[in-house]
């Protein structure tokens, strides 16, 4: 158990819908990262938040957005869903220790029908 | 930009045999390097990491990896594989050395390990 929690574990929805994925980092970690894992794209970095502020963006679609709240949990919002958005979405957290060591949650499997 | 190559998509070994999974990285400076393991339906578990110092690093579950700067490699090894090691293994690189940490990880495409009993 990494200490990072993600809910829900599974999500099935229809095209055009909007969903919210939730992540709670390890106790004391200020950074939250979101990654998408799909068969065709592999593991791709989406976005990084540090203590409530966006720090970096990767290959994140405009239909996707994220935020980190004062209690440090983060939410990834996916809207106007398409079949191709079906994937495993991971969040990870890291300590402020000068390294890039990231601890991953169990992931949310999103299926868009 | 940093990149990672894992040239072997699938590897099959017999239980008790030794294992080496290859990883090559591309980065302008000495990066931070990681190996993660993903079991079916599970998240990514950190096996080991390299930042500096001794180029041979030890990790959990009996794994080790060796950083070779001249070959831009960070291969994962285990002297004797157990059936429970069957999983997908990912090598990753972070750019933290230049910025003090807090960077995204760039992952390889993964190597699927099958263990024959």
């Amino acid at each position: 158990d990494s200490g990072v929690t993600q809910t829900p574990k599974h999500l099935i929805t229809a095209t055009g819908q909007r969903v919210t994925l939730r992540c709670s980092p390890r106790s004391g970690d200020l950074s939250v990262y979101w990654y998408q894992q799909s068969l065709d794209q592999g593991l791709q970095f989406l976005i990084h938040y540090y203590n409530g502020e966006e720090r970096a963006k990767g290959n994140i679609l405009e239909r996707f957005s994220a935020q980190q709240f004062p209690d440090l949990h983060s939410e990834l919002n996916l809207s106007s869903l398409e079949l191709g958005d079906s994937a495993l979405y991971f969040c990870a957290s890291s300590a402020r220790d000068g390294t890039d060591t990231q601890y991953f949650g169990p992931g949310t499997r999103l299926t868009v029908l | 930009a940093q990149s990672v190559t894992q040239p072997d998509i699938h590897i099959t070994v017999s239980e008790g045999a030794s294992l080496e999974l290859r990883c090559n990285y591309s980065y302008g400076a000495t990066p931070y390097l990681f190996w993660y393991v993903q079991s079916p339906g599970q998240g990514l578990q950190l096996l080991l990491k390299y930042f500096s110092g001794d180029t041979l690093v030890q990790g959990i579950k009996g794994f080790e990896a060796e950083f070779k700067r001249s070959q831009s490699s960070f291969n994962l090894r285990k002297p004797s594989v157990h059936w429970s090691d069957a999983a997908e293994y990912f090598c990753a690189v972070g750019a933290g050395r230049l910025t003090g940490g807090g960077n995204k990880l760039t992952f390889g495409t993964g190597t699927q390990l099958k263990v024959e009993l």
Side-chain angles (χ1 to χ4, degrees), chain B residues 13-73:
Chain B
V13 298
S14 298
E15 189 174 37
S18 63
L19 171 70
E20 182 169 27
L21 302 183
R22 295 184 291 165
C23 172
N24 292 95
Y25 68 89
S26 174
Y27 186 59
T30 302
Y32 292 163
L33 294 162
F34 307 84
W35 274 99
Y36 287 85
V37 60
Q38 183 179 24
S39 298
Q42 303 297 312
L44 295 160
Q45 182 182 23
L46 179 66
L47 282 177
L48 47 76
K49 56 192 178 184
Y50 171 78
F51 298 137
S52 64
D54 193 348
T55 56
L56 185 64
V57 294
Q58 303 296 320
I60 62 171
K61 303 185 180 188
F63 285 93
E64 67 179 26
E66 186 172 12
F67 170 64
K68 292 186 177 180
R69 185 192 306 273
S70 62
Q71 298 176 21
S72 297
S73 69

Side-chain angles (χ1 to χ4, degrees), chain A residues 33 35 37 48 90 98 100-102, chain B residues 36 38 51 96 100 102-103 105:
Chain A
Y33 306 78
Y35 292 83
Q37 184 180 35
H48 169 211
F90 287 110
D100 295 324
T101 306
Q102 295 177 23
Chain B
Y36 287 85
Q38 183 179 24
F51 298 137
N103 296 280
L105 295 180

Side-chain angles (χ1 to χ4, degrees), chain A residues 40-85:
Chain A
D40 54 343
Q41 298 289 327
L43 268 160
Q44 298 278 320
F45 166 72
L46 294 178
I47 198 163
H48 169 211
Y49 274 83
Y50 177 81
N51 202 21
E53 293 186 5
E54 180 187 304
R55 283 295 179 91
K57 265 187 176 179
N59 298 322
I60 188 166
L61 300 171
E62 285 192 10
R63 300 183 285 108
F64 296 0
S65 65
Q67 57 185 134
Q68 186 178 27
F69 294 86
D71 66 352
L72 300 176
H73 91 272
S74 177
E75 293 180 357
L76 180 66
N77 299 296
L78 315 177
S79 62
S80 303
L81 285 168
E82 303 174 359
L83 296 178
D85 298 327

